[in-house]
Amino acid sequence: MSQIEKGQVMTANRLRDGIAVFLTRSGEWSEKIDEAALVQEPQATAALESRAAADVKATLVTGQYLIDAERIESKVRATLIRERIRTLGPSVRPDLGKQAEGTAGAFAAVEG
Amino acid sequence: MYRYDEFDHQFVSERTAQFRDQANRRMAGVITEDEFRPLRLMNGLYLQLHAYMLRVAIPYGTLSGKQMRQLAYIADKYDRGYGHFTTRQNIQYNWIKLEESADILQDLADVEMHAIQTSGNCIRNVTTDHWAGAAADELLDPRPIGELIRQWSSLHPEFSFLPRKFKFAITGAPHDRAAVKVHDIGLRAHKNDKGETGWEVMVGGGQGRTPMVAVTVRDFLPEKDVIPYLEAIMRVYNLYGRRDNKYKARIKILVHELGAEKFKAEVEAEYARNPAQTTEVEQRELARIEKYFAKPALEKLSRFAPHFEEAKRANPDFARWAKNNLAAHQHDGYTIVNISLKPEGGIPGDASGEQMRVMATLGERYSQDELRVSHAQNIVLPHVKLDDVFAVWQALKAADLAAANYGLVGDIIACPGLDYCALATARSIPIAQALSRKFADVARQEHYGPVKLNISGCINACGHHHVGHIGILGLDKKGEEFYQITLGGSSSEKASIGTILGPGFAAHEVPDAIETILETYVKLREPGEEFLAAYRRVGPKPFKEALYATA
Amino acid sequence: MPLLKNNEFVSDDWAFLPDDAALPESGKVVVSLTRLVKDWDQLVEFTGLLGLSLANSERTDELEAYLPQLTLVVLTFPAFTDGRAYSQARELRLQGYRGELRAQGNLLPDQFQYLNQVGFDSFVVDERFSLVDWQGASKQMSLAYQRGLYRTAGEREVWSQRHQGFAAWEEQPHAG
């Protein structure tokens, strides 16, 4: 059995081009959800929130919010279909978006 | 077609510069996102799931070959090689960068286009009958008054921060193809005994969370009074429309809460309060605009087109397409060509840059350099010689644009849904694709006759599900997409809101459910009775029984 | 907060009089609509200058009798997206009000031309925007399609330009 680690990930859109990005442990914004910091503790969540707020102020990103997610064998899966689509690209155009650019999450919008 | 004069050019170019400045101030951090959002929305720029989205206005759905070609250029240069034609006769691009958005507006301005007021709580792009100026049943072309309203509503200082968005639709024909009764304001042309034009003014229609059919506040508003009367309606709405709850902020709620009579009294009082305004300038302006919409110089032709008839005899595929996709033109020997953007398994309303160029060329060569976008997300060539239709069809076929399902069950309206849209609660496009595959056989679609099947991916109803003969609404139930089915909606002159049939369905169950509904109709229809007429005769009961009997 | 008038920051010599405060002998006082209606007999005798502060939920269509006595009307924008006061301003101007019309609350330079066009001529503005921001914003658009609005020297009405020689909707000279 693989270990499933549940928690939250900070996401936003990059201001200049609108691309969906995720906050990493080193405080960078990555297009790949797999590189996101997945946090559980209130203190860690607060750290993500304050980093995101600072980067909003610094005009790096906009529209930041936390999403529920889980990490399974170093891959991060967002809980909501909406967020999974954001980590992939449109499900009806597999030739476009992160799924076509090698920056996709590992989980389809709908499993099974 | 309307052409910009020096004033229109200068206006759009100043507006583009203003937006460039706003975008730059946003990127420099001078204004916040909360401040920028309403400003960018008023220029059609949204932030969606994957990137920014730009919605470009195609006023009253009319464009030239050159303009269509520019839309293709923008798709290729700034987007991912395609665009999505919308239910409000606009086009939107899904992969836009904020830092390039002002450049796009400049490229649009070069061909007399813009993205002004395609979003935001202001007066949106005016829509009309997509067969305007061509339809056989037309009383008059609704586009001149549409252009007058476009100009008047552009950057209107009083009405740019309304309680909510505000949509106009106009028809000049008795058969309403512009859905005027489900818009905030709908206008319908009438002629009186003296041959003068007047406009029936309908207010408070709309879809969304609380769908309503508009009420008529004036049966016959003299044309010269249109602008001051619209100002009175807008002022009443701006002052008294609710702002405490965005779901109750549309004018339909104000009309509903005040009651039609009280609302009408407020408007008439407001209209009467203004000093008697001379509208000579407005009338002159309308007359100036009308010249641009003069009937094209069409050839005098016989009603019988031998080449067309022969091509149909020789080519059954062409004959089938011609039967479904052509509509009666006012002028003998001509026809209206409806290009379905609903190929089997395709994304409703999407067209590639290459397809746009093909359509642009066809418009230039065969349709008086005119194309239309319909609210059903199709493209129209309004003035095609019958004897040219076969050549048009061959070119369309080569570009995968010859779906023969216009007006049939495969001609599905669908919003972008959760594949693109930040507001959506479920996906709509995969449902449309599954349905179009299930009913791919056009003979089968013909067997069902005219059916409007509309899909929205959330309660905001951009996919017009409330007024689909069959409507599908995608919702979210505890993290799962599920779909509610409504029957009996219509956006025609006999508008009605669909009735929810019962519990919703999982995505994979929807195609079978729709098939059950259609087969139920086939069993109970009287000879020649269309789906909507049959539903109105029998009501939801037989359909409910068929759908939920075994559940 | 700075008061902007004629594209300059100026000092504000008006004072708001709370409903329960006594009316001074003279000066420039602004009262609420409640006070205006209740104490009208007294206020009409006031030797100073009288202003009215109106909430954006209060109706402007029954003020005609009071307007000739007023030198200032203050309208409020609780949020820059709440546009009711644009229509209130137009109604007041259409009813013939010629005094100072002041906008206060949440205002952005991007709205400055709209505010001017509906008849506002003074503005209580946020310190985060400089005078240069406002001056720049006052001339971004030199053209507008609508008629019957207030225009500064640099602004033109498209329809009136296209069809010259016809009557304007009304004369609307700016106050002050």
Side-chain angles (χ1 to χ4, degrees):
Chain A
M1 283 292 284
S2 58
Q3 185 96 17
I4 297 180
E5 185 194 353
K6 288 182 185 270
Q8 288 191 306
V9 164
M10 177 60 75
T11 185
N13 292 75
R14 216 154 44 203
L15 181 66
R16 301 186 84 87
D17 62 8
I19 300 297
V21 286
F22 305 89
L23 195 52
T24 67
R25 224 160 249 297
S26 58
E28 305 290 310
W29 292 92
S30 169
E31 295 183 23
K32 303 176 185 172
I33 193 171
D34 289 344
E35 295 177 353
L38 184 81
V39 301
Q40 293 92 14
E41 301 303 320
Q43 224 177 341
T45 310
L48 290 189
E49 281 172 336
S50 88
R51 179 68 205 216
D55 286 347
V56 164
K57 228 171 167 178
T59 70
L60 288 177
V61 295
T62 187
Q64 81 283 20
Y65 58 99
L66 287 163
I67 58 173
D68 291 337
E70 54 196 28
R71 193 185 301 278
I72 310 165
E73 292 176 346
S74 82
K75 304 287 183 194
V76 177
R77 178 171 97 149
T79 306
L80 293 177
I81 297 169
R82 178 187 198 273
E83 298 308 327
R84 270 181 253 157
I85 290 174
R86 281 181 80 239
T87 69
L88 293 166
S91 69
V92 293
R93 288 295 302 263
D95 58 322
L96 296 176
K98 295 177 190 295
Q99 59 203 345
E101 292 159 4
T103 53
F107 297 94
V110 181
E111 255 86 25
Chain B
M1 269 187 63
Y2 186 69
R3 294 302 312 267
Y4 282 12
D5 69 358
E6 57 184 300
F7 297 109
D8 300 310
H9 273 295
Q10 192 185 336
F11 180 86
V12 171
S13 126
E14 287 177 0
R15 179 61 171 152
T16 302
Q18 187 180 37
F19 177 72
R20 189 181 294 279
D21 172 59
Q22 290 168 347
N24 286 342
R25 281 187 293 137
R26 172 68 190 113
M27 288 186 283
V30 177
I31 50 175
T32 66
E33 187 65 19
D34 282 346
E35 290 166 345
F36 182 54
R37 188 181 304 110
L39 304 178
R40 69 167 155 77
L41 288 176
M42 272 184 250
N43 268 297
L45 193 67
Y46 283 75
L47 185 55
Q48 295 285 30
L49 294 184
H50 311 296
Y52 290 93
M53 178 198 96
L54 181 69
R55 184 182 293 151
V56 175
I58 301 173
Y60 31 88
T62 296
L63 71 170
S64 67
K66 185 179 172 192
Q67 290 173 326
M68 182 65 107
R69 198 164 274 120
Q70 190 78 339
L71 295 180
Y73 169 79
I74 289 167
D76 291 342
K77 178 165 181 196
Y78 300 102
D79 204 86
R80 308 276 166 103
Y82 70 109
H84 176 75
F85 291 98
T86 77
T87 51
R88 295 214 75 253
Q89 299 181 311
N90 296 314
I91 185 171
Q92 54 200 38
Y93 298 103
N94 296 303
W95 303 91
I96 297 302
K97 299 182 171 117
L98 174 60
E99 55 196 356
E100 290 179 345
S101 54
D103 295 338
I104 303 175
L105 296 186
Q106 187 55 55
D107 286 345
L108 288 168
D110 289 346
V111 294
E112 306 181 8
M113 296 184 84
H114 59 67
I116 296 169
Q117 289 166 217
T118 52
S119 179
N121 293 337
C122 49
I123 299 172
R124 301 287 188 88
N125 184 37
V126 177
T127 56
T128 66
D129 186 348
H130 46 271
W131 294 346
D137 69 336
E138 182 173 273
L139 199 62
L140 62 89
D141 192 331
R143 292 173 299 164
I145 199 94
E147 172 62 22
L148 190 76
I149 292 172
R150 181 193 75 82
Q151 294 186 18
W152 159 77
S153 62
S154 291
L155 271 60
H156 198 301
E158 188 181 349
F159 307 131
S160 287
F161 294 90
L162 297 169
R164 200 75 179 84
K165 59 187 167 183
F166 204 95
K167 299 173 180 176
F168 279 79
I170 312 172
T171 177
H175 290 101
D176 181 3
R177 290 171 289 264
V180 303
K181 284 189 168 180
V182 288
H183 278 75
D184 295 286
I185 290 184
L187 297 175
R188 178 199 305 282
H190 294 284
K191 295 259 187 201
N192 67 10
D193 303 343
K194 293 180 204 147
E196 294 160 335
T197 300
W199 292 91
E200 181 182 348
V201 183
M202 290 159 268
V203 183
Q207 302 193 52
R209 195 165 292 248
T210 320
M212 288 190 191
V213 174
V215 297
T216 296
V217 295
R218 276 285 188 108
D219 294 316
F220 190 87
L221 179 70
E223 192 156 67
K224 65 181 177 54
D225 299 334
V226 165
I227 294 297
Y229 195 80
L230 294 180
E231 293 230 341
I233 297 175
M234 298 308 302
R235 187 164 304 133
V236 167
Y237 172 56
N238 192 35
L239 284 168
Y240 308 123
R242 287 181 61 171
R243 291 174 188 263
D244 58 327
N245 178 342
K246 78 170 185 173
Y247 300 116
K248 295 186 175 176
R250 295 288 288 271
I251 196 172
K252 62 192 171 188
I253 303 294
L254 179 66
V255 173
H256 180 74
E257 288 184 353
L258 283 180
E261 285 313 306
K262 180 120 196 289
F263 173 79
K264 202 172 148 176
E266 284 280 0
V267 170
E268 292 296 336
E270 181 58 48
Y271 184 54
R273 192 173 299 132
N274 287 335
Q277 309 282 16
T278 158
T279 60
E280 234 167 306
V281 168
E282 282 70 16
Q283 292 171 66
R284 293 259 161 171
E285 178 60 17
L286 183 60
R288 185 189 76 91
I289 293 168
E290 274 168 351
K291 289 196 193 118
Y292 289 101
F293 291 97
K295 301 270 180 223
L298 302 181
E299 291 171 39
K300 201 168 158 54
L301 297 171
S302 149
R303 203 170 291 183
F304 182 76
H307 184 62
F308 174 62
E309 297 300 332
E310 194 192 303
K312 283 199 291 185
R313 267 195 304 277
N315 191 325
D317 282 351
F318 172 62
R320 166 156 276 156
W321 176 85
K323 183 174 98 179
N324 293 329
N325 288 48
L326 301 183
H329 198 280
Q330 339 180 310
H331 195 90
D332 285 351
Y334 282 79
T335 188
I336 300 168
V337 171
N338 297 292
I339 303 171
S340 166
L341 296 183
K342 321 291 172 67
E344 181 190 340
I347 297 176
D350 274 17
S352 68
E354 194 46 47
Q355 288 177 318
M356 290 182 222
R357 274 186 288 270
V358 168
M359 294 189 282
T361 303
L362 292 174
E364 285 163 346
R365 191 172 300 164
Y366 296 110
S367 182
Q368 306 286 324
D369 197 13
E370 244 193 69
L371 300 103
R372 308 289 176 77
V373 181
S374 84
H375 82 267
Q377 304 176 283
N378 293 313
I379 301 295
V380 177
L381 303 175
H383 309 292
V384 179
K385 261 191 253 180
L386 277 171
D387 275 340
D388 287 338
V389 170
F390 186 62
V392 168
W393 176 75
Q394 285 177 307
L396 289 173
K397 201 164 155 46
D400 196 22
L401 287 167
N405 55 11
Y406 186 82
L408 301 176
V409 72
D411 184 5
I412 297 167
I413 292 178
C415 71
L418 194 52
D419 280 301
Y420 292 99
C421 177
L423 297 173
T425 44
R427 286 174 290 173
S428 9
I429 297 167
I431 303 296
Q433 290 175 315
L435 287 167
S436 85
R437 289 195 187 103
K438 184 164 189 90
F439 301 112
D441 177 7
V442 178
R444 187 173 176 195
Q445 296 188 39
E446 288 171 344
H447 175 61
Y448 295 135
V451 177
K452 291 193 191 302
L453 200 164
N454 299 352
I455 309 173
S456 304
C458 81
I459 192 64
N460 292 311
C462 296
H464 292 191
H465 68 278
H466 291 302
V467 292
H469 301 167
I470 302 173
I472 300 175
L473 167 62
L475 295 165
D476 170 274
K477 190 161 72 179
K478 297 193 182 107
E480 298 291 325
E481 296 163 295
F482 82 108
Y483 297 86
Q484 225 169 43
I485 298 178
T486 57
L487 290 187
S490 167
S491 62
S492 73
E493 62 282 1
K494 290 178 192 139
S496 55
I497 304 300
T499 307
I500 298 171
L501 270 192
F505 295 88
H508 70 272
E509 298 169 327
V510 172
D512 286 348
I514 301 304
E515 182 178 44
T516 302
I517 289 166
L518 290 169
E519 290 300 329
T520 304
Y521 150 69
V522 168
K523 272 181 229 146
L524 60 76
R525 72 178 160 194
E526 290 175 348
E529 191 179 42
E530 292 182 3
F531 179 85
L532 183 63
Y535 174 83
R536 284 178 172 169
R537 177 171 57 79
V538 302
K541 196 156 167 273
F543 299 97
K544 270 189 195 172
E545 284 170 4
L547 260 188
Y548 298 106
T550 55
Chain C
M1 291 211 285
L3 178 66
L4 179 66
K5 212 173 163 181
N6 296 323
N7 272 349
E8 298 295 339
F9 287 147
V10 297
S11 62
D12 184 7
D13 45 10
W14 286 89
F16 183 77
L17 187 69
D19 282 357
D20 53 5
L23 187 67
E25 285 296 312
S26 64
K28 294 167 115 177
V29 296
V30 180
V31 299
S32 71
L33 180 61
T34 314
R35 179 78 178 255
L36 185 77
V37 173
K38 186 165 72 77
D39 293 346
W40 179 243
D41 293 342
Q42 184 196 2
L43 290 170
V44 88
E45 305 291 328
F46 180 57
T47 54
L49 294 178
L50 192 59
L52 167 67
S53 179
L54 211 58
N56 73 354
S57 53
E58 290 174 321
R59 294 189 72 122
T60 45
D61 53 354
E62 284 151 13
L63 292 176
E64 210 152 352
Y66 305 103
L67 294 179
Q69 302 295 326
L70 299 175
T71 312
L72 172 74
V73 176
V74 183
L75 300 176
T76 304
F77 292 82
F80 75 92
T81 48
D82 185 340
R84 277 177 277 193
Y86 291 102
S87 283
Q88 288 182 311
R90 276 211 87 191
E91 284 221 329
L92 290 170
R93 292 304 193 195
L94 287 169
Q95 287 174 58
Y97 176 66
R98 294 280 179 256
E100 180 176 337
L101 192 51
R102 181 177 293 186
Q104 69 174 19
N106 184 203
L107 308 174
L108 293 183
D110 302 273
Q111 306 174 302
F112 193 40
Q113 283 190 301
Y114 292 161
L115 292 164
N116 277 290
Q117 287 166 357
V118 297
F120 285 107
D121 50 13
S122 70
F123 312 86
V124 181
V125 298
D126 199 306
E127 272 132 13
R128 58 183 274 233
F129 301 112
S130 71
L131 186 59
V132 174
D133 290 335
W134 295 100
Q135 289 169 339
S138 72
K139 49 188 180 208
Q140 290 201 322
M141 297 294 299
S142 70
L143 290 170
Y145 289 101
Q146 304 77 23
R147 298 203 304 137
L149 297 164
Y150 286 82
R151 306 290 177 206
T152 58
E155 292 172 17
R156 294 181 298 164
E157 289 178 350
V158 175
W159 291 355
S160 303
Q161 293 291 318
R162 283 181 182 145
H163 311 283
Q164 296 189 12
F166 294 94
W169 266 19
E170 66 250 338
E171 291 294 314
Q172 294 198 332
H174 254 284

